[in-house]
Amino acid sequence: MLIELEKARTRNNVVRIFREELDGPDGWTDGFVVDANEEMVLLQLVDDSVRLNGYQILFLEDISDFAHPAPFNDFQKKVLALRGEEVVDPEVVLDDLAVLLIDISEEFGLVTLHREEIEPDSCEIGRVVRADAVTYELEEIGSDARWFDDTFEYDLYDITRIEFGGAYEDALLLANDDMGDDAYELSDDYPDDGVVDDE
């Protein structure tokens, strides 16, 4: 699989990735391979409107199948070229998951973390303030774009999908930056488990 992913990266083709156990038989992800190693693949996503929309990191062990090139590769590449959109390497290193989360948080401001085997219908969005070989600590932002004033600790290897640099994360940061003194919300308003609905 790694060899095929590298071919897709070299040829600058869109791939379609399936994770049947996590996404079901009808779910997939389309994107350009930016980087890959024996554990993870970093994609720049192509969304349904045929625009580049942030990045996603998937774990190779979760991938059940993938198509290279993706079914609409030629069309997607043509539209992106006409729009002047080009693949950009976010220059994050995939070697160490804990370091990766810290780096993404520092470079992009927010990271979206999915733990689909535990919480299939929700995700956490925020910035990772601490991570080690076992756990990570997340300062979360709610769907109202306000920071929680406490942090939450999660198991590192419960993560099944990582997203960053997309339109939704940008929207949260934009709205939060405009709030001034209202950028944080009170802890007694938090959901019980610190989980926000998946957008």
Side-chain angles (χ1 to χ4, degrees), residues 104-105 107-112 125-127 139 141 147 163-165 168-170 172-173:
I104 291 172
S105 298
E107 286 294 317
F108 289 88
L110 287 178
V111 59
T112 299
I125 306 175
R127 50 193 174 206
E139 182 179 19
I141 194 168
W147 292 104
E163 293 168 336
F164 60 97
Y168 186 62
E169 290 94 350
D170 287 348
L172 288 173
L173 285 175

Side-chain angles (χ1 to χ4, degrees), residues 8-199:
R9 187 192 67 78
T10 301
R11 296 171 184 173
N12 197 37
N13 282 331
V14 181
V15 298
R16 175 165 290 181
I17 293 182
F18 300 87
R19 302 181 309 153
E20 188 166 352
E21 187 173 330
L22 295 174
D23 297 330
D26 300 321
W28 67 74
T29 296
D30 279 0
F32 291 93
V33 177
V34 180
D35 195 9
N37 62 19
E38 294 181 353
E39 296 181 359
M40 295 176 268
V41 57
L42 168 63
L43 304 170
Q44 185 160 21
L45 298 177
V46 180
D47 67 17
D48 291 341
S49 61
V50 195
R51 294 185 181 277
L52 296 176
N53 188 7
Y55 300 90
Q56 185 178 90
I57 295 170
L58 301 175
F59 296 88
L60 267 59
E61 66 182 6
D62 296 327
I63 296 174
S64 55
D65 197 8
F66 74 98
H68 169 231
F72 301 103
N73 173 67
D74 291 344
F75 166 71
Q76 290 166 315
K77 288 175 67 173
K78 181 177 181 178
V79 171
L80 291 170
L82 290 170
R83 288 175 166 165
E85 297 190 32
E86 297 181 355
V87 177
V88 177
D89 187 345
E91 298 183 356
V92 296
V93 180
L94 301 181
D95 292 346
D96 185 300
L97 183 56
V99 173
L100 174 64
L101 295 179
I102 295 288
D103 287 349
I104 291 172
S105 298
E106 290 177 350
E107 286 294 317
F108 289 88
L110 287 178
V111 59
T112 299
L113 300 170
H114 298 261
R115 300 175 300 130
E116 294 151 300
E117 293 178 348
I118 296 171
E119 297 283 351
D121 298 320
S122 64
C123 64
E124 293 84 41
I125 306 175
R127 50 193 174 206
V128 176
V129 296
R130 183 197 57 79
D132 56 32
V134 179
T135 62
Y136 63 95
E137 186 177 352
L138 188 68
E139 182 179 19
E140 296 185 29
I141 194 168
S143 54
D144 60 356
R146 289 182 169 86
W147 292 104
F148 298 174
D149 56 7
D150 284 337
T151 60
F152 300 89
E153 186 174 274
Y154 299 98
D155 291 340
L156 186 68
Y157 287 97
D158 285 342
I159 297 171
T160 55
R161 178 161 45 114
I162 302 166
E163 293 168 336
F164 60 97
Y168 186 62
E169 290 94 350
D170 287 348
L172 288 173
L173 285 175
L174 185 65
N176 182 266
D177 287 344
D178 188 56
M179 288 180 182
D181 293 341
D182 294 325
Y184 283 80
E185 60 185 33
L186 298 176
S187 57
D188 58 2
D189 293 333
Y190 298 169
D192 291 340
D193 58 1
V195 175
V196 298
D197 291 336
D198 193 357
E199 296 293 333

